Amino acid sequence: METVSENRCFGGIQTVYKHRSAVCACEMTFAVFLPPQAGNGKVPCIWYLSGLTCTHENAMTKAGLQAHAAEHGVAIIFPDTSPRGDHVADDEAYDLGQGAGFYVNATKAPWNAHFKMYDYIVKELRDLVEGAFPLNGRHGITGHSMGGHGALIIALRNPDLYQSVSAFAPISNPTQSAWGRKQLTAYLGDDEAEWADYDATILLRERGWNGEILIDQGADDQFISLLRPHALAGVVTENCQPAVLRMQDRYDHSYFFVSTFGGDHIAWHAERLRGANHTLTISREAAQ
C-alpha cells in the first residue's frame, strides 16, 4: 500500500491509501479511519459503501462518521465505488461504468476485465485491511444508495463474515428498477436469473438475515421510486424479519440525510460488534 494522505481526526487517524488490485486489475484507492482505541488494541470495523458517482472521499469528508466511530471505538473502511483508470471501461452515462460498479462481479465484456467489485470488497480488500490494521475480526457493513444495495447484498450473502448490517436509502430491488436493470444487463447479461444474487429484496426473501437490519429512508427522497423501499419492507413483513425501517419525514437523498442519522448507525453497529446483548427497539417517531 502507498499512503496518499494522513490526518489526525477526533483523536484517531484518517488515512487514504492506494494499492494495486489483482481482482480489479488496476490501481484502487480506499480510506481507513482508526479510532484512538486502536492505539491500545484491536477494534471492530464498519465498512461504508458509497453510491453512484462517488469515490472513497465523499463519505469520508461529508458523512461525519469519524466522531461517532471515535466515541464507540470502531474503525471505518471507505472503499471506492468502482475500478478506475484510462484503460478501464467506462460509459458516458453517470450510472454505468466508472463510479457505478454496483458491487457486482461483471461477466460480460468489456466490464468483466475490471469490474469485480463484489470480490474486491468481500475478499481482496478485506484480507488487505485485516492484515494491515489492528482489527479484531468483527465486521459490520453499511452504505448509501448504490452502496446501501451493496451493503445489503454482501451481508445477506455472507452472514458468516458480517455481524451487523444497515443502509441509508438503499437501492432495495434493482432487478425491478431503472437503477439496476440497465446496469445488471450490462454487467451480467440478459438472463435475469443471474441477477438475483445482487438484489436485496430477493436475497432477504430467500435467505433471511440472522439478526436485525436497520434502514433509514428519506420520505422526500427524490429518487424513492428508483430505490423501491416498499419492496424490501414487504419482504420484512412477509418473513417476520427483525428490522427497524425508518421513514424520515422531509429528508432527501443527500449527505445531509446521511450525516443526520450516521450516529445512529455507528451506535447500532458498535453494539452488535461488541457482541453485547441488545433488544430491538423502534423509537416512537420511527413508528409513526
PDB file of all heavy atoms in Angstrom, residues 23-24 101-108 111-123 149 153-154 157 183-184 186-189 194-195 197-198:
ATOM      1  N   VAL A  23      -7.667  -8.283  -8.228  1.00  0.00           N
ATOM      2  CA  VAL A  23      -9.046  -8.617  -8.588  1.00  0.00           C
ATOM      3  C   VAL A  23      -9.567  -7.673  -9.668  1.00  0.00           C
ATOM      4  O   VAL A  23     -10.170  -8.107 -10.653  1.00  0.00           O
ATOM      5  CB  VAL A  23      -9.952  -8.568  -7.343  1.00  0.00           C
ATOM      6  CG1 VAL A  23     -11.423  -8.637  -7.730  1.00  0.00           C
ATOM      7  CG2 VAL A  23      -9.609  -9.720  -6.399  1.00  0.00           C
ATOM      8  N   CYS A  24      -9.352  -6.373  -9.497  1.00  0.00           N
ATOM      9  CA  CYS A  24      -9.867  -5.384 -10.438  1.00  0.00           C
ATOM     10  C   CYS A  24      -8.857  -5.031 -11.531  1.00  0.00           C
ATOM     11  O   CYS A  24      -9.182  -4.268 -12.452  1.00  0.00           O
ATOM     12  CB  CYS A  24     -10.292  -4.123  -9.701  1.00  0.00           C
ATOM     13  SG  CYS A  24     -11.684  -4.373  -8.578  1.00  0.00           S
ATOM     14  N   GLY A 101     -19.971   0.871 -10.029  1.00  0.00           N
ATOM     15  CA  GLY A 101     -19.651  -0.551 -10.073  1.00  0.00           C
ATOM     16  C   GLY A 101     -20.743  -1.475  -9.591  1.00  0.00           C
ATOM     17  O   GLY A 101     -20.740  -2.670  -9.878  1.00  0.00           O
ATOM     18  N   PHE A 102     -21.715  -0.954  -8.817  1.00  0.00           N
ATOM     19  CA  PHE A 102     -22.866  -1.706  -8.309  1.00  0.00           C
ATOM     20  C   PHE A 102     -22.477  -2.929  -7.480  1.00  0.00           C
ATOM     21  O   PHE A 102     -23.317  -3.772  -7.195  1.00  0.00           O
ATOM     22  CB  PHE A 102     -23.812  -2.101  -9.447  1.00  0.00           C
ATOM     23  CG  PHE A 102     -24.966  -1.130  -9.597  1.00  0.00           C
ATOM     24  CD1 PHE A 102     -24.775   0.109 -10.190  1.00  0.00           C
ATOM     25  CD2 PHE A 102     -26.219  -1.440  -9.115  1.00  0.00           C
ATOM     26  CE1 PHE A 102     -25.816   1.014 -10.311  1.00  0.00           C
ATOM     27  CE2 PHE A 102     -27.273  -0.544  -9.221  1.00  0.00           C
ATOM     28  CZ  PHE A 102     -27.071   0.684  -9.829  1.00  0.00           C
ATOM     29  N   TYR A 103     -21.208  -3.045  -7.109  1.00  0.00           N
ATOM     30  CA  TYR A 103     -20.753  -4.108  -6.210  1.00  0.00           C
ATOM     31  C   TYR A 103     -21.081  -5.498  -6.749  1.00  0.00           C
ATOM     32  O   TYR A 103     -21.444  -6.402  -6.009  1.00  0.00           O
ATOM     33  CB  TYR A 103     -21.306  -3.873  -4.805  1.00  0.00           C
ATOM     34  CG  TYR A 103     -20.912  -2.504  -4.305  1.00  0.00           C
ATOM     35  CD1 TYR A 103     -21.796  -1.432  -4.358  1.00  0.00           C
ATOM     36  CD2 TYR A 103     -19.622  -2.254  -3.846  1.00  0.00           C
ATOM     37  CE1 TYR A 103     -21.410  -0.155  -3.950  1.00  0.00           C
ATOM     38  CE2 TYR A 103     -19.226  -0.980  -3.443  1.00  0.00           C
ATOM     39  CZ  TYR A 103     -20.130   0.063  -3.498  1.00  0.00           C
ATOM     40  OH  TYR A 103     -19.733   1.328  -3.108  1.00  0.00           O
ATOM     41  N   VAL A 104     -20.930  -5.657  -8.073  1.00  0.00           N
ATOM     42  CA  VAL A 104     -21.144  -6.952  -8.722  1.00  0.00           C
ATOM     43  C   VAL A 104     -19.822  -7.459  -9.287  1.00  0.00           C
ATOM     44  O   VAL A 104     -18.858  -6.705  -9.423  1.00  0.00           O
ATOM     45  CB  VAL A 104     -22.192  -6.857  -9.852  1.00  0.00           C
ATOM     46  CG1 VAL A 104     -23.477  -6.221  -9.350  1.00  0.00           C
ATOM     47  CG2 VAL A 104     -21.657  -6.081 -11.057  1.00  0.00           C
ATOM     48  N   ASN A 105     -19.795  -8.738  -9.623  1.00  0.00           N
ATOM     49  CA  ASN A 105     -18.716  -9.311 -10.420  1.00  0.00           C
ATOM     50  C   ASN A 105     -19.207  -9.395 -11.855  1.00  0.00           C
ATOM     51  O   ASN A 105     -20.013 -10.275 -12.195  1.00  0.00           O
ATOM     52  CB  ASN A 105     -18.340 -10.708  -9.921  1.00  0.00           C
ATOM     53  CG  ASN A 105     -17.542 -10.679  -8.644  1.00  0.00           C
ATOM     54  OD1 ASN A 105     -16.916  -9.680  -8.293  1.00  0.00           O
ATOM     55  ND2 ASN A 105     -17.566 -11.787  -7.920  1.00  0.00           N
ATOM     56  N   ALA A 106     -18.766  -8.482 -12.704  1.00  0.00           N
ATOM     57  CA  ALA A 106     -19.233  -8.457 -14.083  1.00  0.00           C
ATOM     58  C   ALA A 106     -18.752  -9.697 -14.831  1.00  0.00           C
ATOM     59  O   ALA A 106     -17.629 -10.169 -14.647  1.00  0.00           O
ATOM     60  CB  ALA A 106     -18.737  -7.198 -14.783  1.00  0.00           C
ATOM     61  N   THR A 107     -19.621 -10.195 -15.698  1.00  0.00           N
ATOM     62  CA  THR A 107     -19.292 -11.374 -16.507  1.00  0.00           C
ATOM     63  C   THR A 107     -19.294 -11.078 -18.003  1.00  0.00           C
ATOM     64  O   THR A 107     -18.908 -11.935 -18.796  1.00  0.00           O
ATOM     65  CB  THR A 107     -20.287 -12.514 -16.225  1.00  0.00           C
ATOM     66  OG1 THR A 107     -21.627 -12.058 -16.507  1.00  0.00           O
ATOM     67  CG2 THR A 107     -20.209 -12.960 -14.775  1.00  0.00           C
ATOM     68  N   LYS A 108     -19.724  -9.869 -18.400  1.00  0.00           N
ATOM     69  CA  LYS A 108     -19.832  -9.532 -19.814  1.00  0.00           C
ATOM     70  C   LYS A 108     -18.811  -8.459 -20.192  1.00  0.00           C
ATOM     71  O   LYS A 108     -18.553  -7.528 -19.437  1.00  0.00           O
ATOM     72  CB  LYS A 108     -21.255  -9.025 -20.137  1.00  0.00           C
ATOM     73  CG  LYS A 108     -22.348 -10.051 -19.869  1.00  0.00           C
ATOM     74  CD  LYS A 108     -22.156 -11.315 -20.717  1.00  0.00           C
ATOM     75  CE  LYS A 108     -23.249 -12.337 -20.458  1.00  0.00           C
ATOM     76  NZ  LYS A 108     -23.047 -13.573 -21.237  1.00  0.00           N
ATOM     77  N   TRP A 111     -16.827  -5.068 -19.410  1.00  0.00           N
ATOM     78  CA  TRP A 111     -16.803  -4.805 -17.970  1.00  0.00           C
ATOM     79  C   TRP A 111     -16.091  -5.893 -17.179  1.00  0.00           C
ATOM     80  O   TRP A 111     -15.522  -5.632 -16.108  1.00  0.00           O
ATOM     81  CB  TRP A 111     -18.235  -4.619 -17.459  1.00  0.00           C
ATOM     82  CG  TRP A 111     -19.032  -3.698 -18.314  1.00  0.00           C
ATOM     83  CD1 TRP A 111     -20.008  -4.038 -19.196  1.00  0.00           C
ATOM     84  CD2 TRP A 111     -18.872  -2.278 -18.419  1.00  0.00           C
ATOM     85  NE1 TRP A 111     -20.484  -2.925 -19.840  1.00  0.00           N
ATOM     86  CE2 TRP A 111     -19.819  -1.825 -19.378  1.00  0.00           C
ATOM     87  CE3 TRP A 111     -18.045  -1.339 -17.805  1.00  0.00           C
ATOM     88  CZ2 TRP A 111     -19.937  -0.485 -19.721  1.00  0.00           C
ATOM     89  CZ3 TRP A 111     -18.162  -0.007 -18.139  1.00  0.00           C
ATOM     90  CH2 TRP A 111     -19.094   0.406 -19.086  1.00  0.00           C
ATOM     91  N   ASN A 112     -16.110  -7.127 -17.688  1.00  0.00           N
ATOM     92  CA  ASN A 112     -15.571  -8.241 -16.901  1.00  0.00           C
ATOM     93  C   ASN A 112     -14.053  -8.193 -16.730  1.00  0.00           C
ATOM     94  O   ASN A 112     -13.501  -8.926 -15.915  1.00  0.00           O
ATOM     95  CB  ASN A 112     -15.999  -9.582 -17.501  1.00  0.00           C
ATOM     96  CG  ASN A 112     -15.578  -9.750 -18.949  1.00  0.00           C
ATOM     97  OD1 ASN A 112     -15.178  -8.794 -19.609  1.00  0.00           O
ATOM     98  ND2 ASN A 112     -15.682 -10.967 -19.461  1.00  0.00           N
ATOM     99  N   ALA A 113     -13.384  -7.330 -17.477  1.00  0.00           N
ATOM    100  CA  ALA A 113     -11.926  -7.225 -17.330  1.00  0.00           C
ATOM    101  C   ALA A 113     -11.530  -6.568 -16.009  1.00  0.00           C
ATOM    102  O   ALA A 113     -10.453  -6.853 -15.477  1.00  0.00           O
ATOM    103  CB  ALA A 113     -11.344  -6.428 -18.499  1.00  0.00           C
ATOM    104  N   HIS A 114     -12.396  -5.707 -15.461  1.00  0.00           N
ATOM    105  CA  HIS A 114     -12.032  -4.955 -14.266  1.00  0.00           C
ATOM    106  C   HIS A 114     -13.130  -4.898 -13.199  1.00  0.00           C
ATOM    107  O   HIS A 114     -12.815  -4.752 -12.017  1.00  0.00           O
ATOM    108  CB  HIS A 114     -11.664  -3.517 -14.643  1.00  0.00           C
ATOM    109  CG  HIS A 114     -10.529  -3.419 -15.604  1.00  0.00           C
ATOM    110  ND1 HIS A 114      -9.208  -3.570 -15.229  1.00  0.00           N
ATOM    111  CD2 HIS A 114     -10.512  -3.191 -16.947  1.00  0.00           C
ATOM    112  CE1 HIS A 114      -8.429  -3.433 -16.291  1.00  0.00           C
ATOM    113  NE2 HIS A 114      -9.188  -3.214 -17.348  1.00  0.00           N
ATOM    114  N   PHE A 115     -14.378  -4.973 -13.604  1.00  0.00           N
ATOM    115  CA  PHE A 115     -15.473  -4.698 -12.668  1.00  0.00           C
ATOM    116  C   PHE A 115     -15.810  -5.934 -11.841  1.00  0.00           C
ATOM    117  O   PHE A 115     -16.759  -6.673 -12.121  1.00  0.00           O
ATOM    118  CB  PHE A 115     -16.698  -4.181 -13.422  1.00  0.00           C
ATOM    119  CG  PHE A 115     -16.578  -2.726 -13.800  1.00  0.00           C
ATOM    120  CD1 PHE A 115     -15.685  -2.319 -14.789  1.00  0.00           C
ATOM    121  CD2 PHE A 115     -17.334  -1.755 -13.149  1.00  0.00           C
ATOM    122  CE1 PHE A 115     -15.553  -0.981 -15.127  1.00  0.00           C
ATOM    123  CE2 PHE A 115     -17.206  -0.414 -13.478  1.00  0.00           C
ATOM    124  CZ  PHE A 115     -16.313  -0.018 -14.465  1.00  0.00           C
ATOM    125  N   LYS A 116     -15.004  -6.150 -10.801  1.00  0.00           N
ATOM    126  CA  LYS A 116     -15.169  -7.273  -9.880  1.00  0.00           C
ATOM    127  C   LYS A 116     -15.308  -6.726  -8.451  1.00  0.00           C
ATOM    128  O   LYS A 116     -14.613  -7.171  -7.530  1.00  0.00           O
ATOM    129  CB  LYS A 116     -13.968  -8.215  -9.970  1.00  0.00           C
ATOM    130  CG  LYS A 116     -13.678  -8.727 -11.370  1.00  0.00           C
ATOM    131  CD  LYS A 116     -14.712  -9.724 -11.848  1.00  0.00           C
ATOM    132  CE  LYS A 116     -14.315 -10.333 -13.187  1.00  0.00           C
ATOM    133  NZ  LYS A 116     -15.327 -11.293 -13.690  1.00  0.00           N
ATOM    134  N   MET A 117     -16.194  -5.766  -8.279  1.00  0.00           N
ATOM    135  CA  MET A 117     -16.283  -5.068  -7.002  1.00  0.00           C
ATOM    136  C   MET A 117     -16.781  -5.961  -5.866  1.00  0.00           C
ATOM    137  O   MET A 117     -16.419  -5.754  -4.711  1.00  0.00           O
ATOM    138  CB  MET A 117     -17.172  -3.833  -7.133  1.00  0.00           C
ATOM    139  CG  MET A 117     -16.536  -2.702  -7.921  1.00  0.00           C
ATOM    140  SD  MET A 117     -14.970  -2.114  -7.212  1.00  0.00           S
ATOM    141  CE  MET A 117     -15.526  -1.420  -5.653  1.00  0.00           C
ATOM    142  N   TYR A 118     -17.587  -6.956  -6.174  1.00  0.00           N
ATOM    143  CA  TYR A 118     -18.045  -7.871  -5.114  1.00  0.00           C
ATOM    144  C   TYR A 118     -16.852  -8.603  -4.509  1.00  0.00           C
ATOM    145  O   TYR A 118     -16.656  -8.590  -3.291  1.00  0.00           O
ATOM    146  CB  TYR A 118     -19.070  -8.857  -5.677  1.00  0.00           C
ATOM    147  CG  TYR A 118     -19.570  -9.843  -4.642  1.00  0.00           C
ATOM    148  CD1 TYR A 118     -20.655  -9.534  -3.823  1.00  0.00           C
ATOM    149  CD2 TYR A 118     -18.948 -11.083  -4.470  1.00  0.00           C
ATOM    150  CE1 TYR A 118     -21.102 -10.426  -2.865  1.00  0.00           C
ATOM    151  CE2 TYR A 118     -19.388 -11.978  -3.517  1.00  0.00           C
ATOM    152  CZ  TYR A 118     -20.467 -11.653  -2.716  1.00  0.00           C
ATOM    153  OH  TYR A 118     -20.890 -12.533  -1.761  1.00  0.00           O
ATOM    154  N   ASP A 119     -16.047  -9.230  -5.338  1.00  0.00           N
ATOM    155  CA  ASP A 119     -14.873  -9.945  -4.824  1.00  0.00           C
ATOM    156  C   ASP A 119     -13.861  -8.990  -4.212  1.00  0.00           C
ATOM    157  O   ASP A 119     -13.165  -9.346  -3.249  1.00  0.00           O
ATOM    158  CB  ASP A 119     -14.210 -10.749  -5.943  1.00  0.00           C
ATOM    159  CG  ASP A 119     -14.904 -12.081  -6.204  1.00  0.00           C
ATOM    160  OD1 ASP A 119     -15.815 -12.448  -5.424  1.00  0.00           O
ATOM    161  OD2 ASP A 119     -14.539 -12.750  -7.195  1.00  0.00           O
ATOM    162  N   TYR A 120     -13.763  -7.794  -4.755  1.00  0.00           N
ATOM    163  CA  TYR A 120     -12.815  -6.835  -4.206  1.00  0.00           C
ATOM    164  C   TYR A 120     -13.172  -6.479  -2.766  1.00  0.00           C
ATOM    165  O   TYR A 120     -12.304  -6.484  -1.887  1.00  0.00           O
ATOM    166  CB  TYR A 120     -12.803  -5.565  -5.072  1.00  0.00           C
ATOM    167  CG  TYR A 120     -11.904  -4.483  -4.511  1.00  0.00           C
ATOM    168  CD1 TYR A 120     -10.520  -4.623  -4.519  1.00  0.00           C
ATOM    169  CD2 TYR A 120     -12.443  -3.311  -3.976  1.00  0.00           C
ATOM    170  CE1 TYR A 120      -9.696  -3.631  -3.999  1.00  0.00           C
ATOM    171  CE2 TYR A 120     -11.628  -2.316  -3.458  1.00  0.00           C
ATOM    172  CZ  TYR A 120     -10.250  -2.483  -3.469  1.00  0.00           C
ATOM    173  OH  TYR A 120      -9.440  -1.500  -2.942  1.00  0.00           O
ATOM    174  N   ILE A 121     -14.438  -6.212  -2.509  1.00  0.00           N
ATOM    175  CA  ILE A 121     -14.859  -5.834  -1.154  1.00  0.00           C
ATOM    176  C   ILE A 121     -14.838  -7.041  -0.218  1.00  0.00           C
ATOM    177  O   ILE A 121     -14.295  -6.972   0.890  1.00  0.00           O
ATOM    178  CB  ILE A 121     -16.278  -5.229  -1.171  1.00  0.00           C
ATOM    179  CG1 ILE A 121     -16.317  -3.947  -2.031  1.00  0.00           C
ATOM    180  CG2 ILE A 121     -16.762  -4.941   0.255  1.00  0.00           C
ATOM    181  CD1 ILE A 121     -15.470  -2.820  -1.510  1.00  0.00           C
ATOM    182  N   VAL A 122     -15.420  -8.136  -0.649  1.00  0.00           N
ATOM    183  CA  VAL A 122     -15.606  -9.294   0.238  1.00  0.00           C
ATOM    184  C   VAL A 122     -14.300 -10.038   0.500  1.00  0.00           C
ATOM    185  O   VAL A 122     -14.088 -10.545   1.619  1.00  0.00           O
ATOM    186  CB  VAL A 122     -16.657 -10.255  -0.354  1.00  0.00           C
ATOM    187  CG1 VAL A 122     -16.781 -11.528   0.476  1.00  0.00           C
ATOM    188  CG2 VAL A 122     -18.013  -9.557  -0.446  1.00  0.00           C
ATOM    189  N   LYS A 123     -13.421 -10.075  -0.480  1.00  0.00           N
ATOM    190  CA  LYS A 123     -12.220 -10.905  -0.356  1.00  0.00           C
ATOM    191  C   LYS A 123     -10.934 -10.079  -0.312  1.00  0.00           C
ATOM    192  O   LYS A 123     -10.269 -10.000   0.711  1.00  0.00           O
ATOM    193  CB  LYS A 123     -12.180 -11.919  -1.512  1.00  0.00           C
ATOM    194  CG  LYS A 123     -13.370 -12.868  -1.527  1.00  0.00           C
ATOM    195  CD  LYS A 123     -13.335 -13.796  -2.731  1.00  0.00           C
ATOM    196  CE  LYS A 123     -14.547 -14.717  -2.761  1.00  0.00           C
ATOM    197  NZ  LYS A 123     -14.538 -15.612  -3.968  1.00  0.00           N
ATOM    198  N   HIS A 149     -27.364  -0.763  -1.365  1.00  0.00           N
ATOM    199  CA  HIS A 149     -27.583  -2.013  -2.102  1.00  0.00           C
ATOM    200  C   HIS A 149     -26.402  -2.949  -1.896  1.00  0.00           C
ATOM    201  O   HIS A 149     -26.572  -4.140  -1.572  1.00  0.00           O
ATOM    202  CB  HIS A 149     -27.782  -1.692  -3.585  1.00  0.00           C
ATOM    203  CG  HIS A 149     -27.176  -2.654  -4.550  1.00  0.00           C
ATOM    204  ND1 HIS A 149     -27.770  -3.850  -4.874  1.00  0.00           N
ATOM    205  CD2 HIS A 149     -26.010  -2.596  -5.258  1.00  0.00           C
ATOM    206  CE1 HIS A 149     -27.001  -4.499  -5.746  1.00  0.00           C
ATOM    207  NE2 HIS A 149     -25.936  -3.757  -5.997  1.00  0.00           N
ATOM    208  N   ILE A 153     -26.628  -6.692  -0.011  1.00  0.00           N
ATOM    209  CA  ILE A 153     -26.396  -7.963  -0.719  1.00  0.00           C
ATOM    210  C   ILE A 153     -25.148  -8.667  -0.188  1.00  0.00           C
ATOM    211  O   ILE A 153     -25.123  -9.895  -0.081  1.00  0.00           O
ATOM    212  CB  ILE A 153     -26.302  -7.762  -2.244  1.00  0.00           C
ATOM    213  CG1 ILE A 153     -25.126  -6.863  -2.628  1.00  0.00           C
ATOM    214  CG2 ILE A 153     -27.613  -7.225  -2.814  1.00  0.00           C
ATOM    215  CD1 ILE A 153     -24.609  -7.062  -4.021  1.00  0.00           C
ATOM    216  N   ILE A 154     -24.126  -7.908   0.155  1.00  0.00           N
ATOM    217  CA  ILE A 154     -22.902  -8.522   0.655  1.00  0.00           C
ATOM    218  C   ILE A 154     -23.141  -9.182   2.006  1.00  0.00           C
ATOM    219  O   ILE A 154     -22.689 -10.314   2.252  1.00  0.00           O
ATOM    220  CB  ILE A 154     -21.773  -7.477   0.715  1.00  0.00           C
ATOM    221  CG1 ILE A 154     -21.276  -7.183  -0.705  1.00  0.00           C
ATOM    222  CG2 ILE A 154     -20.626  -7.950   1.603  1.00  0.00           C
ATOM    223  CD1 ILE A 154     -20.290  -6.035  -0.795  1.00  0.00           C
ATOM    224  N   ARG A 157     -25.439 -12.346   1.652  1.00  0.00           N
ATOM    225  CA  ARG A 157     -24.756 -13.480   1.028  1.00  0.00           C
ATOM    226  C   ARG A 157     -23.615 -14.028   1.882  1.00  0.00           C
ATOM    227  O   ARG A 157     -23.134 -15.135   1.624  1.00  0.00           O
ATOM    228  CB  ARG A 157     -24.223 -13.067  -0.342  1.00  0.00           C
ATOM    229  CG  ARG A 157     -25.316 -12.854  -1.386  1.00  0.00           C
ATOM    230  CD  ARG A 157     -24.760 -12.368  -2.708  1.00  0.00           C
ATOM    231  NE  ARG A 157     -23.814 -13.308  -3.310  1.00  0.00           N
ATOM    232  CZ  ARG A 157     -23.258 -13.131  -4.505  1.00  0.00           C
ATOM    233  NH1 ARG A 157     -23.556 -12.051  -5.223  1.00  0.00           N
ATOM    234  NH2 ARG A 157     -22.413 -14.023  -4.987  1.00  0.00           N
ATOM    235  N   GLN A 183     -27.895  -1.601 -15.429  1.00  0.00           N
ATOM    236  CA  GLN A 183     -26.541  -1.984 -15.023  1.00  0.00           C
ATOM    237  C   GLN A 183     -26.367  -3.492 -14.984  1.00  0.00           C
ATOM    238  O   GLN A 183     -25.330  -4.027 -15.398  1.00  0.00           O
ATOM    239  CB  GLN A 183     -26.229  -1.375 -13.656  1.00  0.00           C
ATOM    240  CG  GLN A 183     -26.157   0.143 -13.641  1.00  0.00           C
ATOM    241  CD  GLN A 183     -27.526   0.822 -13.561  1.00  0.00           C
ATOM    242  OE1 GLN A 183     -28.571   0.161 -13.463  1.00  0.00           O
ATOM    243  NE2 GLN A 183     -27.527   2.142 -13.592  1.00  0.00           N
ATOM    244  N   LEU A 184     -27.358  -4.212 -14.459  1.00  0.00           N
ATOM    245  CA  LEU A 184     -27.259  -5.660 -14.385  1.00  0.00           C
ATOM    246  C   LEU A 184     -27.226  -6.285 -15.778  1.00  0.00           C
ATOM    247  O   LEU A 184     -26.534  -7.279 -16.011  1.00  0.00           O
ATOM    248  CB  LEU A 184     -28.408  -6.224 -13.551  1.00  0.00           C
ATOM    249  CG  LEU A 184     -28.399  -5.817 -12.072  1.00  0.00           C
ATOM    250  CD1 LEU A 184     -29.667  -6.297 -11.373  1.00  0.00           C
ATOM    251  CD2 LEU A 184     -27.162  -6.345 -11.355  1.00  0.00           C
ATOM    252  N   ALA A 186     -25.952  -4.791 -18.456  1.00  0.00           N
ATOM    253  CA  ALA A 186     -24.627  -4.505 -18.997  1.00  0.00           C
ATOM    254  C   ALA A 186     -23.563  -5.397 -18.377  1.00  0.00           C
ATOM    255  O   ALA A 186     -22.716  -5.960 -19.084  1.00  0.00           O
ATOM    256  CB  ALA A 186     -24.282  -3.033 -18.764  1.00  0.00           C
ATOM    257  N   TYR A 187     -23.602  -5.544 -17.066  1.00  0.00           N
ATOM    258  CA  TYR A 187     -22.543  -6.263 -16.361  1.00  0.00           C
ATOM    259  C   TYR A 187     -22.708  -7.781 -16.403  1.00  0.00           C
ATOM    260  O   TYR A 187     -21.714  -8.508 -16.422  1.00  0.00           O
ATOM    261  CB  TYR A 187     -22.485  -5.818 -14.903  1.00  0.00           C
ATOM    262  CG  TYR A 187     -22.105  -4.367 -14.694  1.00  0.00           C
ATOM    263  CD1 TYR A 187     -22.688  -3.619 -13.679  1.00  0.00           C
ATOM    264  CD2 TYR A 187     -21.167  -3.740 -15.502  1.00  0.00           C
ATOM    265  CE1 TYR A 187     -22.345  -2.294 -13.465  1.00  0.00           C
ATOM    266  CE2 TYR A 187     -20.820  -2.412 -15.314  1.00  0.00           C
ATOM    267  CZ  TYR A 187     -21.411  -1.682 -14.296  1.00  0.00           C
ATOM    268  OH  TYR A 187     -21.074  -0.373 -14.095  1.00  0.00           O
ATOM    269  N   LEU A 188     -23.976  -8.257 -16.408  1.00  0.00           N
ATOM    270  CA  LEU A 188     -24.224  -9.698 -16.262  1.00  0.00           C
ATOM    271  C   LEU A 188     -24.920 -10.339 -17.451  1.00  0.00           C
ATOM    272  O   LEU A 188     -24.972 -11.567 -17.539  1.00  0.00           O
ATOM    273  CB  LEU A 188     -25.070  -9.948 -15.006  1.00  0.00           C
ATOM    274  CG  LEU A 188     -24.512  -9.424 -13.682  1.00  0.00           C
ATOM    275  CD1 LEU A 188     -25.503  -9.687 -12.561  1.00  0.00           C
ATOM    276  CD2 LEU A 188     -23.161 -10.055 -13.368  1.00  0.00           C
ATOM    277  N   GLY A 189     -25.506  -9.535 -18.325  1.00  0.00           N
ATOM    278  CA  GLY A 189     -26.207 -10.096 -19.470  1.00  0.00           C
ATOM    279  C   GLY A 189     -27.707 -10.091 -19.308  1.00  0.00           C
ATOM    280  O   GLY A 189     -28.255  -9.607 -18.314  1.00  0.00           O
ATOM    281  N   GLU A 194     -29.513 -14.579 -13.450  1.00  0.00           N
ATOM    282  CA  GLU A 194     -28.167 -14.255 -12.985  1.00  0.00           C
ATOM    283  C   GLU A 194     -28.142 -13.009 -12.109  1.00  0.00           C
ATOM    284  O   GLU A 194     -27.146 -12.733 -11.445  1.00  0.00           O
ATOM    285  CB  GLU A 194     -27.227 -14.041 -14.186  1.00  0.00           C
ATOM    286  CG  GLU A 194     -27.110 -15.236 -15.115  1.00  0.00           C
ATOM    287  CD  GLU A 194     -26.423 -16.413 -14.421  1.00  0.00           C
ATOM    288  OE1 GLU A 194     -25.520 -16.174 -13.614  1.00  0.00           O
ATOM    289  OE2 GLU A 194     -26.816 -17.566 -14.706  1.00  0.00           O
ATOM    290  N   TRP A 195     -29.235 -12.258 -12.102  1.00  0.00           N
ATOM    291  CA  TRP A 195     -29.287 -11.012 -11.349  1.00  0.00           C
ATOM    292  C   TRP A 195     -29.668 -11.209  -9.882  1.00  0.00           C
ATOM    293  O   TRP A 195     -29.432 -10.332  -9.046  1.00  0.00           O
ATOM    294  CB  TRP A 195     -30.303 -10.052 -11.960  1.00  0.00           C
ATOM    295  CG  TRP A 195     -30.100  -9.698 -13.391  1.00  0.00           C
ATOM    296  CD1 TRP A 195     -29.082 -10.086 -14.221  1.00  0.00           C
ATOM    297  CD2 TRP A 195     -30.967  -8.872 -14.187  1.00  0.00           C
ATOM    298  NE1 TRP A 195     -29.246  -9.556 -15.476  1.00  0.00           N
ATOM    299  CE2 TRP A 195     -30.396  -8.807 -15.493  1.00  0.00           C
ATOM    300  CE3 TRP A 195     -32.152  -8.198 -13.944  1.00  0.00           C
ATOM    301  CZ2 TRP A 195     -30.982  -8.069 -16.522  1.00  0.00           C
ATOM    302  CZ3 TRP A 195     -32.742  -7.458 -14.957  1.00  0.00           C
ATOM    303  CH2 TRP A 195     -32.157  -7.401 -16.233  1.00  0.00           C
ATOM    304  N   ASP A 197     -28.723 -12.766  -7.270  1.00  0.00           N
ATOM    305  CA  ASP A 197     -27.740 -12.680  -6.191  1.00  0.00           C
ATOM    306  C   ASP A 197     -27.336 -11.256  -5.868  1.00  0.00           C
ATOM    307  O   ASP A 197     -26.590 -11.022  -4.910  1.00  0.00           O
ATOM    308  CB  ASP A 197     -26.483 -13.489  -6.546  1.00  0.00           C
ATOM    309  CG  ASP A 197     -26.645 -14.964  -6.244  1.00  0.00           C
ATOM    310  OD1 ASP A 197     -27.598 -15.329  -5.525  1.00  0.00           O
ATOM    311  OD2 ASP A 197     -25.811 -15.758  -6.723  1.00  0.00           O
ATOM    312  N   TYR A 198     -27.807 -10.298  -6.669  1.00  0.00           N
ATOM    313  CA  TYR A 198     -27.475  -8.893  -6.437  1.00  0.00           C
ATOM    314  C   TYR A 198     -28.718  -8.054  -6.160  1.00  0.00           C
ATOM    315  O   TYR A 198     -28.719  -6.843  -6.381  1.00  0.00           O
ATOM    316  CB  TYR A 198     -26.717  -8.336  -7.641  1.00  0.00           C
ATOM    317  CG  TYR A 198     -25.400  -9.033  -7.890  1.00  0.00           C
ATOM    318  CD1 TYR A 198     -25.248  -9.897  -8.968  1.00  0.00           C
ATOM    319  CD2 TYR A 198     -24.314  -8.847  -7.041  1.00  0.00           C
ATOM    320  CE1 TYR A 198     -24.038 -10.544  -9.207  1.00  0.00           C
ATOM    321  CE2 TYR A 198     -23.110  -9.494  -7.256  1.00  0.00           C
ATOM    322  CZ  TYR A 198     -22.977 -10.339  -8.344  1.00  0.00           C
ATOM    323  OH  TYR A 198     -21.782 -10.977  -8.565  1.00  0.00           O
TER     324      TYR A 198
END
